[in-house]
Amino acid sequence: MPHLASGSDVWAAACTARTRLPWQCIPFQAARLLLFRRKQLCEQPVDALRSAAVATLRSSLFLTTYACSVWATHCFTHSVLRLHAPWLIFLCGALGGSSIFIEPSSRRPELALYTFGHAVRSFCNRMVERGLLRRSS
């Protein structure tokens, strides 16, 4: 993991329009509400919006906890403890991954599928860096 200069750099990199596809700009809970729970939204709008808001807050808490615990562990071990061992990546992942217990157990398979795609992309990028794969154009 690269050591980042500041949180604003991370935010700016994550929010660039060039890295986002159009459907990635729609909040997941809003899309889920409009696509799959339209009837409930029309019949009981307050309950539907309340449950979507709670789900959004819970997902935001999960993502915040995950990102903060991974980066805090990484920065602490590198900057304070001066440890630079490959196994620290696994420590960061394990501590960050424990934040999955914030989400309800019914959402965990969705999160696994979401993170699987990122893991495959990360793995392929590392293989390209090492010269074991060629980047397609």
Side-chain angles (χ1 to χ4, degrees):
M1 280 188 242
H3 193 72
L4 298 174
S6 70
S8 62
D9 295 336
V10 176
W11 185 255
C15 294
T16 57
R18 292 176 299 190
T19 61
R20 297 276 177 210
L21 298 173
W23 60 83
Q24 289 177 315
C25 297
I26 300 169
F28 176 73
Q29 295 298 333
R32 186 172 163 210
L33 183 65
L34 293 173
L35 292 174
F36 303 114
R37 297 173 59 199
R38 196 174 316 144
K39 183 178 178 182
Q40 183 188 8
L41 182 61
C42 292
E43 293 174 358
Q44 300 170 333
V46 173
D47 290 339
L49 291 172
R50 182 182 303 129
S51 67
V54 168
T56 300
L57 289 174
R58 182 178 283 149
S59 291
S60 297
L61 180 63
F62 160 72
L63 288 172
T64 302
T65 305
Y66 174 78
C68 289
S69 61
V70 167
W71 283 109
T73 304
H74 173 75
C75 291
F76 179 76
T77 55
H78 282 275
S79 299
V80 176
L81 300 179
R82 304 280 187 224
L83 293 174
H84 305 285
W87 58 268
L88 289 174
I89 295 170
F90 297 108
L91 176 66
C92 294
L95 290 175
S98 66
S99 63
I100 197 166
F101 295 112
I102 293 172
E103 288 284 347
S105 58
S106 61
R107 289 244 10 247
R108 291 178 192 158
E110 293 173 21
L111 291 170
L113 288 173
Y114 173 76
T115 56
F116 180 72
H118 289 285
V120 169
R121 186 183 71 206
S122 178
F123 176 76
C124 290
N125 287 339
R126 296 293 270 169
M127 294 298 107
V128 168
E129 287 173 4
R130 293 177 182 205
L132 299 172
L133 284 177
R134 221 171 10 116
R135 187 174 303 274
S136 64
S137 47

